[in-house]
Amino acid sequence: RAIGDRKPQEGRVTLRLPPIAENGNTVPLAVQVESPMTAADHVKAVYIFADKNPTPDVATFRFSHAMGRAQADTRMRLGETQDVIALAEMSDGSVWMASTEVKVT
């Protein structure tokens, strides 16, 4: 739903999560997208998904070119070991992605 029929490309998105989360109630997450953040070329939004959570839509971050960089840090809840996916929607309509598995003990 977030990106329609567009196919995401790998790259430009850095997703940092611990490989093992001892407590799934509070898992730190950081996402950053490589972008010049100019009026003509910037990140519009970053969507975070956890595919095995009851509600997979974890967070949406909106950006404008005036922000200077596309970066966000937060914490999330993971109920079990699963992939976390970040999709970055760019001003030119392209979509970039990164994913990583987090083991919940």
Side-chain angles (χ1 to χ4, degrees), residues 45-65:
V46 173
Y47 307 99
I48 307 293
F49 301 99
D51 62 353
K52 292 184 182 173
N53 273 4
T55 305
D57 302 346
V58 173
T60 299
F61 301 100
R62 304 264 180 215
F63 298 94
S64 77
H65 69 278

Side-chain angles (χ1 to χ4, degrees), residues 2 6-7 17 19 22 24 32 37 39-40 42-43 45 48-49 52 55 57 73 78-80 83 85 91 102:
R6 293 176 285 175
K7 299 285 182 207
L17 291 138
E22 292 183 18
Q32 183 173 356
M37 295 302 281
H42 62 276
V43 179
I48 307 293
F49 301 99
K52 292 184 182 173
T55 305
D57 302 346
D73 298 281
L78 295 175
E80 61 183 280
D83 289 328
I85 302 160
S91 59
V102 179

